[in-house]
Amino acid sequence: KDLDAIHAALHANDLVAAAQAAHNMKSTVGYMGFAKNIGQQLAGFEKACEQGKNLPDLQSDLQQINSMVEQARRMVKKEFT
């Protein structure tokens, strides 16, 4: 949900909304035990949005977050199946 919101916000070039969605997602991944990797990446992304980093760099950062989230999904799925 939050990851989709980040994508939508970047697509709309709304860095405030992207930063807010990253902040929200940071809490969720922290609760799930991924604060050190995904959470830190999200914190950097949130700060970059707040500082007005250029869109191509933010999109690249988001691709890295996507990869990390997908890896976490696979780990969780493997653990519970």
Side-chain angles (χ1 to χ4, degrees), residues 2-81:
D2 292 324
L3 193 56
D4 290 339
I6 295 171
H7 280 280
L10 280 189
H11 183 73
N13 202 25
D14 185 348
L15 300 187
V16 172
Q20 183 60 51
H23 181 82
N24 294 342
M25 187 174 173
K26 190 172 56 176
S27 298
T28 302
V29 299
Y31 177 75
M32 295 175 66
F34 296 104
K36 287 190 177 181
N37 51 17
I38 301 171
Q40 288 176 347
Q41 191 71 23
L42 285 163
F45 180 84
E46 179 184 1
K47 185 174 182 176
C49 287
E50 292 169 348
Q51 294 175 343
K53 191 173 181 181
N54 70 60
L55 194 57
D57 286 345
L58 289 171
Q59 290 169 333
S60 177
D61 293 347
L62 185 54
Q63 286 301 323
Q64 186 173 6
I65 292 167
N66 282 332
S67 295
M68 295 171 85
V69 167
E70 186 55 39
Q71 183 179 19
R73 283 182 183 151
R74 286 192 303 269
M75 287 174 44
V76 170
K77 184 177 180 180
K78 183 179 178 182
E79 186 68 29
F80 292 101
T81 57

